[in-house]
Amino acid sequence: MPPTVLMRPPAASFRECLVRGGQREPINVERALAQHGAYRDLLEALGAQPLLLEPLDRFPDSVFVEDAAIVVDDLALLCPFAVSGRRGEEAHLAETLSAYKHVRSFTPPATIDGGDVIVTERDIFVGISARTNKAACDQLAEFLPDRCVKAVEFDDARLLHLKSGGSYLGRGTVLVAAGALRRNSFDGYSILETPSGEEAAANTLQIRETVILPAGFPKTGELLSRHGFEARQVDISEFAKGDGSVSCLTVVLG
Ligand code: CIR
C-alpha cells in the first residue's frame, strides 16, 4: 500500500507565522505554495499518496501539519499545543484522521508538538522542549504500551523541536545535527552526524526506501549516499524562514 501523506498548503496568513526570536525574514507565500506543490510532486514520484487538506487562514502555522498529530500504528493522537496561536489546529485534522486511524486526545497538563516525536520501528523518542512536557511523554507511553517511549533532552537550547536536531532514516540509523542532542539519546542505533555547517539538514523524511532532505546541504546528501541511503533534496527555503523543515510539512499515515 502506498503511504498516504497529509499536507496542508500554506494560507495567505503564513507570512505571519511564529518565528523564534520574533525576527522574521519576509516570507513569499506564492513561492511557498510553489515549493509545497513541488514537494507534493516529489512524494508522488516516490510512490506516496499526498492528501491535500484545506488551507487554514485562521492558523498561520497550520502548514506545519506534523505538529498537530502524532500517528503511530493504528492510533492518531491530536496534539495539545503549548503556544496559544496554534491551539485548535489539531481539531481540523480529526475528521480526516478518523477515516484511517483511531483518534485520541491527550489530557491536561500535557502539551506536545508532533515535531518533538521521532518514531522508529521499536521506539518513540520524545524531546522535552518548550513545547512538549513530561506529562505528554508519560501519556504517550500509556497510549502505546507495546512501544518503548523515551524522553530526550537537548544539548542545544536553541532547538525548537527534537526533529530540528535529528530524524530517523530507517535501517536502525538516526541522523543528528552535531552538538544538538545528548550522545546517548539513541543507544542501540547507528548515528550519522551532519557535516559542519549543515546542521539544518538533520530534519528529513523517510518515504519507502528514500530519504528526503532540505536542498542546499550537499555534504549531508553525500554522507547519506555513502551509507547506502537513496537521498533526494527538496527546496523548502520559504518554510525554513518559519522554523520549519521537511518532515514538518507532512503527517505520514503509513
Ligand atoms: C512554530 O513555531 O510552531 C512554527 N513556526 C514552526 C514549526 C515547525 N514544525 C516542526 O518542526 N515540526
Side-chain angles (χ1 to χ4, degrees):
M1 275 274 284
T4 299
V5 182
L6 303 188
M7 297 183 86
R8 192 184 295 287
S13 62
F14 175 49
R15 57 173 68 84
E16 282 127 43
C17 70
L18 295 167
V19 279
R20 273 163 310 164
Q23 275 290 58
R24 196 182 302 106
E25 244 189 279
I27 289 176
N28 182 327
V29 177
E30 221 168 287
R31 194 179 304 137
L33 269 167
Q35 291 178 349
H36 200 264
Y39 187 5
R40 206 167 62 228
D41 291 345
L42 173 62
L43 289 173
E44 231 158 26
L46 295 176
Q49 252 174 5
L51 179 66
L52 272 198
L53 305 163
E54 285 293 303
L56 295 176
D57 207 43
R58 151 91 181 75
F59 294 104
D61 288 283
S62 55
V63 67
F64 301 120
V65 71
E66 168 181 76
D67 294 323
I70 299 158
V71 173
V72 185
D73 306 328
D74 61 348
L75 277 191
L77 306 169
L78 302 180
C79 295
F81 283 97
V83 283
S84 57
R86 299 199 63 182
R87 271 177 222 147
E89 283 181 32
E90 71 283 8
H92 287 270
L93 277 177
E95 198 182 321
T96 306
L97 287 171
S98 66
Y100 298 85
K101 305 281 174 185
H102 300 295
V103 178
R104 301 279 182 272
S105 298
F106 291 84
T107 51
T111 65
I112 189 163
D113 279 8
D116 272 321
V117 180
I118 294 178
V119 179
T120 74
E121 293 84 354
R122 190 183 67 214
D123 301 310
I124 316 279
F125 296 97
V126 182
I128 305 302
S129 70
R131 303 284 181 92
T132 297
N133 60 20
K134 188 74 177 48
C137 185
D138 293 344
Q139 288 182 29
L140 203 48
E142 285 167 25
F143 281 124
L144 300 164
D146 299 337
R147 297 295 202 118
C148 188
V149 176
K150 301 175 179 176
V152 178
E153 313 235 340
F154 301 168
D155 266 357
D156 182 346
R158 290 166 304 176
L159 279 191
L160 175 62
H161 287 132
L162 177 61
K163 283 168 102 166
S164 327
S167 52
Y168 185 56
L169 303 174
R171 302 200 331 242
T173 306
V174 181
L175 177 67
V176 298
L181 303 169
R182 304 262 155 94
R183 284 219 63 94
N184 60 358
S185 303
F186 302 101
D187 270 350
Y189 288 80
S190 306
I191 303 291
L192 295 180
E193 269 196 3
T194 55
S196 164
E198 296 204 354
E199 290 75 12
N203 180 275
T204 65
L205 180 72
Q206 183 205 359
I207 289 290
R208 295 186 146 172
E209 301 307 307
T210 305
V211 176
I212 304 173
L213 69 151
F217 302 102
K219 291 189 226 151
T220 307
E222 282 160 29
L223 176 77
L224 296 186
S225 303
R226 255 199 329 276
H227 284 81
F229 292 94
E230 166 83 29
R232 295 289 293 269
Q233 309 220 349
V234 66
D235 184 5
I236 44 97
S237 59
E238 293 304 314
F239 302 105
K241 291 177 186 172
D243 295 337
S245 189
V246 171
S247 74
C248 324
L249 299 169
T250 64
V251 174
V252 180
L253 299 182

